Amino acid sequence: MDEKKARVNEESLDPQDWHAMRDLGHKLVDDMMTHLETVRQRPAWRPIPNEVRAKLNGPVPLEPQGAEQAYADFVEQVLPYPLGNTHPRFWGWVIGTGTPLGMFAEMLAAGMNATVFGGQSAPALVEEQTLDWCKEMLGYPMNSSGLLVSGGTVANLIGLTVARNMKADGDVVAEGLDALPAKMVFYGSSETHSSVVKAAMLLGLGVQSFRKIPVNSDYQIDLQALRKQINRDRNAGYHPFCIVGNAGTVNTGTFDDLNALADLCETEGLWFHVDGAFGALAALSPRLRPLTAGMERADSLAFDLHKWMYMCYEAGCVLVRNAQDHLRAFSGSAAYLAHNPRGVASGTTWFSELGLQLSRGFRALKIWMSLKEHGLDRFGRLIEQNVEQAGYLVGLIAQQPALELMAPVPLNIVCFRFVDRSLEESSLDELNREILMQLQELGIAVPSSTILEGRFAIRVAITNHRSRREDFDLLVNKVLEIGRACVHASSPTVSHR
Ligand SMILES: *Cc1c(COP(=O)(O)O)cnc(C)c1O
């Protein structure tokens, strides 16, 4: 009997040679530190060669190749071809830069393999403290509720779920939308992020339930048009339930008049949700904080830490003013998730009862450690520095007759294009798209693009702690150089005046 037991061959995923694995760990930390330290010397982006593409397209390995080989494949096939967002001249979409300590924190969280759904563990306390720090830094009530999530998309979804449930004329939680006597509708400017529309789809309200209100010449929601639409909807038998205020729109970094929206929500009995994905963080700078005035009055507030706080992906956050409202939207009861008065299943905050996820990673650690590493004030200064860099770029554009600023720049986003008097308006879109693609393909810089009033714009969104003024000098010089070369190369008979 005992002999038989001894012969059972049981496996584990731990290394057979702990010493070799430790050496590999030291090596990869060294490699990644070198990678980050030298990021400025590499192109901002480079295309993935076909040989590499082919290697990233094969069947699942059935036999072990070993940790060293897995790492070698990463170094060869993955590391050299990122999106580019650790680079000082990456300004596409709204994408954060990350930090070395953030990288280490991710490793430590994975080392603990912490899952933070509830129960008694220090990681849960760290998330609670991190959420308190978030409330403090944004001036949001300390007795509010909150949750770290994957990003602004999920933060918006959670805020709008609570809004729908709390403002419904019926028990949506129990009966779904069938419980409602009237169709629920909500409002935001035409510049509102697409994730809000996605939330309308997921909440069963439908895309049309989100009323896109026009903006004024500063890209802020037109309050007059908003009031009219609310009245029109009420008269037509709809049930208005929420206004989404923008604290930093994705196209131009614009803040709606948040105090006016909060007032309107009060008089109309509507939920006030603020999407502050990156703009909310302007509150960290005493100089920029006035832009966010009224944000603290939101019933729910969504923002990201992986954008303008430069945290490693993923790190978003939602705060909900009334903690009971938040809990009611997501807490279910399941025998296997019962709380106990003592032991592992005790603990105050059960994060799984505040959002979609049951199993959740330890997102809080990198935020908690980074705030300790740098202190809040440094983040405020960096945010201010990015806004100053946007102003610097605006100044460079103003000096060049061949460049045109395409929207006001209230924050950190600059939209511009190359113009040439010999060209028709209709050919400028394609020309600027060509300039943008060449900037990226040549590895010079990574702006992205948008359409403003029907015209193609090169869009520079600065949420990058590595950018320096000289990077914007280079951008402007290269846009001019590429633009002139394109104009020169194009046939004089096509699209010229
Ligand atoms: C990026 C962004 C979102 C979505 O956030 P994710 O973190 O990408 O999910 C929502 N709103 C605005 C204004 C954004 O810039």
Side-chain angles (χ1 to χ4, degrees):
M1 183 74 203
D2 274 1
E3 261 174 47
K4 208 172 188 182
K5 255 188 184 169
R7 257 182 272 129
V8 174
N9 186 16
E10 288 170 310
E11 285 194 294
S12 124
L13 297 177
D14 280 334
Q16 282 177 335
D17 182 346
W18 282 90
H19 192 80
M21 187 61 105
R22 183 184 300 253
D23 284 348
L24 178 63
H26 288 155
K27 176 172 162 46
L28 64 86
V29 166
D30 277 345
D31 290 353
M32 285 310 292
M33 289 306 284
T34 303
H35 177 81
L36 290 176
E37 196 179 354
T38 57
V39 63
R40 182 174 277 283
Q41 297 158 25
R42 289 188 295 275
W45 182 79
R46 67 182 116 191
I48 306 170
N50 286 337
E51 317 85 84
V52 173
R53 235 172 244 287
K55 285 184 180 160
L56 289 170
N57 185 13
V60 61
L62 297 179
E63 294 302 322
Q65 295 167 5
E68 281 82 4
Q69 185 58 48
Y71 178 61
D73 288 351
F74 166 79
V75 169
E76 184 206 350
Q77 300 163 22
V78 184
L79 187 59
Y81 311 106
L83 193 67
N85 55 302
T86 58
H87 195 277
R89 288 189 297 279
F90 188 97
W91 305 301
W93 303 280
V94 185
I95 298 195
T97 327
T99 65
L101 190 74
M103 168 179 83
F104 292 149
E106 287 288 79
M107 191 194 79
L108 301 178
M112 288 183 79
N113 195 26
T115 177
V116 191
F117 65 95
Q120 280 286 3
S121 71
L125 298 183
V126 169
E127 180 156 347
E128 283 184 43
Q129 186 174 28
T130 302
L131 287 165
D132 279 345
W133 290 351
C134 288
K135 296 169 199 170
E136 207 179 318
M137 73 193 193
L138 298 182
Y140 204 67
M142 292 307 289
N143 62 356
S144 60
S145 174
L147 186 72
L148 295 179
V149 293
S150 55
T153 300
V154 172
N156 280 330
L157 175 63
I158 287 178
L160 291 169
T161 304
V162 182
R164 180 199 62 177
N165 294 359
M166 295 313 298
K167 291 294 177 183
D169 286 331
D171 190 349
V172 187
V173 172
E175 298 171 46
L177 299 183
D178 286 347
L180 304 178
K183 188 163 167 39
M184 296 179 83
V185 291
F186 67 122
Y187 306 84
S189 87
S190 54
E191 294 291 300
T192 306
H193 193 262
S194 58
S195 58
V196 169
V197 178
K198 235 186 223 176
M201 296 187 222
L202 290 171
L203 290 172
L205 300 170
V207 171
Q208 290 163 17
S209 70
F210 180 64
R211 312 297 208 204
K212 284 189 179 172
I213 308 299
V215 290
N216 62 25
S217 57
D218 284 330
Y219 289 90
Q220 295 175 305
I221 192 166
D222 179 338
L223 293 164
Q224 193 72 11
L226 171 60
R227 284 193 204 92
K228 274 193 191 144
Q229 184 65 44
I230 293 173
N231 282 335
R232 214 176 297 140
D233 283 336
R234 285 204 198 281
N235 292 336
Y238 290 105
H239 173 195
F241 77 97
C242 171
I243 297 174
V244 177
N246 285 304
T249 57
V250 69
N251 268 342
T252 61
T254 299
F255 289 81
D256 291 328
D257 184 342
L258 299 176
N259 267 317
L261 293 181
D263 290 343
L264 187 57
C265 283
E266 268 172 29
T267 50
E268 294 279 347
L270 306 179
W271 187 275
F272 185 33
H273 175 78
V274 170
D275 178 4
F278 61 98
L281 282 314
L284 269 54
S285 146
R287 194 167 66 69
L288 300 170
R289 191 165 197 151
L291 288 168
T292 69
M295 180 173 82
E296 72 290 348
R297 294 170 66 188
D299 294 301
S300 50
L301 170 60
F303 60 97
D304 272 323
L305 297 125
H306 55 213
K307 288 179 175 173
W308 221 1
M309 272 191 65
Y310 321 101
M311 302 286 166
C312 293
Y313 284 96
E314 299 167 344
C317 184
V318 61
L319 299 175
V320 179
R321 174 174 301 270
N322 183 319
Q324 282 308 312
D325 293 355
H326 189 185
L327 189 61
R328 224 172 281 150
F330 293 98
S331 61
S333 58
Y336 45 83
L337 290 173
H339 305 193
N340 285 331
R342 296 194 325 275
V344 180
S346 59
T348 46
T349 308
W350 283 61
F351 294 104
S352 60
E353 297 175 354
L354 298 171
L356 306 173
Q357 284 183 274
L358 176 55
S359 304
R360 301 171 67 250
F362 189 8
R363 293 192 177 98
L365 186 62
K366 60 198 165 198
I367 306 167
W368 188 81
M369 287 181 69
S370 298
L371 282 166
K372 285 173 183 268
E373 180 190 16
H374 296 295
L376 192 60
D377 290 349
R378 181 175 287 164
F379 288 99
R381 286 198 302 276
L382 279 164
I383 285 165
E384 228 172 89
Q385 177 172 298
N386 285 160
V387 172
E388 280 159 12
Q389 287 163 342
Y392 179 74
L393 177 56
V394 169
L396 295 178
I397 291 167
Q399 287 165 25
Q400 299 295 338
L403 298 180
E404 180 187 17
L405 189 68
M406 296 184 70
V409 181
L411 204 62
N412 60 334
I413 298 179
V414 182
C415 293
F416 70 104
R417 64 178 181 172
F418 179 87
V419 288
D420 186 286
R421 246 169 296 153
S422 73
L423 296 180
E424 299 283 0
E425 172 68 34
S426 61
S427 61
L428 288 176
D429 285 4
E430 276 324 297
L431 171 61
N432 278 280
R433 190 189 303 279
E434 180 61 31
I435 294 171
L436 177 65
M437 290 188 295
Q438 286 200 28
L439 282 172
Q440 296 174 352
E441 285 169 342
L442 295 168
I444 295 162
V446 182
S448 59
S449 64
T450 192
I451 306 287
L452 294 172
E453 291 171 14
R455 299 177 308 177
F456 184 94
I458 297 175
R459 179 178 160 287
V460 172
I462 313 167
T463 49
N464 191 325
H465 64 82
R466 298 197 173 110
S467 301
R468 300 180 196 145
R469 289 196 172 198
E470 71 206 45
D471 294 314
F472 300 97
D473 294 331
L474 182 74
L475 172 73
V476 164
N477 290 338
K478 291 293 176 182
V479 167
L480 291 171
E481 192 180 306
I482 297 168
R484 283 174 190 142
C486 288
V487 171
H488 189 71
S490 73
S491 155
T493 56
V494 183
S495 64
H496 280 82
R497 232 174 244 174

